[in-house]
Amino acid sequence: GNSVTQMEGPVTLSEEAFLTINCTYTATGYPSLFWYVQYPGEGLQLLLKATKADDKGSNKGFEATYRKETTSFHLEKGSVQVSDSAVYFCALSDLNAGKSTFGDGTTLTVKP
Amino acid sequence: DAGVIQSPRHEVTEMGQEVTLRCKPISGHNSLFWYRQTMMRGLELLIYFNNNVPIDDSGMPEDRFSAKMPNASFSTLKIQPSEPRDSAVYFCASSESGYTGELFFGEGSRLTVL
């Protein structure tokens, strides 16, 4: 079956530090890959996505590249802000099955 | 544009009571998903519908849980009888036709069973 493994948290960084959150996946076929972000008290919202190998998704300074050879989709940001504090979820979608598989989430805290 | 709307946002009830959570998906979306989020188990898919038909309910914990989607604009998740271990945040999400994989989540219903 499909699975997503995320870097364990929590992650605590100082403002303007570089962020990497690792994500690897196991899937049959060619899934689409996603990063979602959940702010306190809210639902998950899409941060970025990539639908095929070597695609780079980007949004709000965050980036992730779909690496088929390493089955990875690591999230990066060059300079984090306090407002980036949230829980980040890596996910893959199985378009044939019509459903998504989520990682366990990584909590990021950015301190001023 | 209205997003996915869930109600109630918070529910506190006593063990043994019936709980009904409601969801209105985004208009035009034809897939609907119910998730449960807890600290211990993370985000779990309970059930999903496509064109109002339940496709996979293998994540529903037990017979106490049931879900319906009587039309394209409304779904319910019912727990009867509720137990303290059902305490969690329940999310509804919808996806547009042709399933691109992108999910649009509601703000969740936080359930506390005493």
Side-chain angles (χ1 to χ4, degrees):
Chain A
N2 297 332
S3 67
V4 175
T5 302
Q6 276 184 244
M7 165 179 165
E8 287 191 19
V11 175
T12 302
L13 296 174
S14 297
E15 206 164 23
E16 299 184 3
F18 184 85
L19 169 71
T20 300
I21 300 177
N22 290 337
C23 171
T24 57
Y25 67 90
T26 301
T28 55
Y30 304 97
S32 293
L33 301 175
F34 302 82
W35 278 100
Y36 288 83
V37 60
Q38 183 181 27
Y39 299 104
E42 299 183 9
L44 283 71
Q45 55 186 275
L46 181 69
L47 179 60
L48 53 84
K49 66 180 180 183
T51 58
K52 62 183 186 298
D54 299 326
D55 269 2
K56 177 187 283 189
S58 61
N59 186 26
K60 300 181 182 179
F62 291 89
E63 294 183 338
T65 301
Y66 190 142
R67 301 285 188 198
K68 186 167 178 286
E69 63 276 12
T70 54
T71 61
S72 65
F73 193 55
H74 304 322
L75 182 69
E76 297 182 335
K77 186 174 185 182
S79 176
V80 293
Q81 306 300 311
V82 172
S83 58
D84 294 327
S85 298
V87 182
Y88 293 82
F89 291 88
C90 185
L92 68 83
S93 69
D94 182 337
L95 301 187
N96 289 327
K99 62 181 181 179
S100 298
T101 301
F102 284 82
D104 290 337
T106 301
T107 300
L108 170 66
T109 301
V110 180
K111 296 188 173 180
Chain B
D1 290 341
V4 175
I5 299 172
Q6 292 187 244
S7 65
R9 289 295 312 278
H10 301 275
E11 174 91 6
V12 180
T13 191
E14 293 190 348
M15 183 173 64
Q17 296 299 304
E18 178 180 293
V19 173
T20 299
L21 307 178
R22 299 173 178 80
C23 175
K24 177 179 169 56
I26 293 173
S27 177
H29 284 192
N30 69 341
S31 293
L32 183 140
F33 304 78
W34 282 102
Y35 285 88
R36 178 171 68 176
Q37 185 178 40
T38 61
M39 290 291 291
M40 291 297 294
R41 302 171 72 97
L43 198 63
E44 302 173 275
L45 176 63
L46 300 178
I47 185 171
Y48 77 97
F49 296 83
N50 193 41
N51 292 322
N52 312 338
V53 176
I55 303 300
D56 184 351
D57 65 354
S58 59
M60 295 286 261
E62 48 198 272
D63 292 345
R64 298 185 296 106
F65 285 69
S66 62
K68 294 182 179 179
M69 192 164 185
N71 57 62
S73 59
F74 184 65
S75 178
T76 59
L77 178 67
K78 186 176 292 187
I79 308 172
Q80 167 63 18
S82 58
E83 296 183 2
R85 59 191 168 127
D86 302 330
S87 298
V89 181
Y90 291 82
F91 288 103
C92 175
S94 68
S95 175
E96 56 192 351
S97 60
Y99 189 65
T100 63
E102 180 177 351
L103 297 176
F104 296 78
F105 283 80
E107 293 191 322
S109 295
R110 180 176 294 276
L111 172 65
T112 302
V113 183
L114 303 176

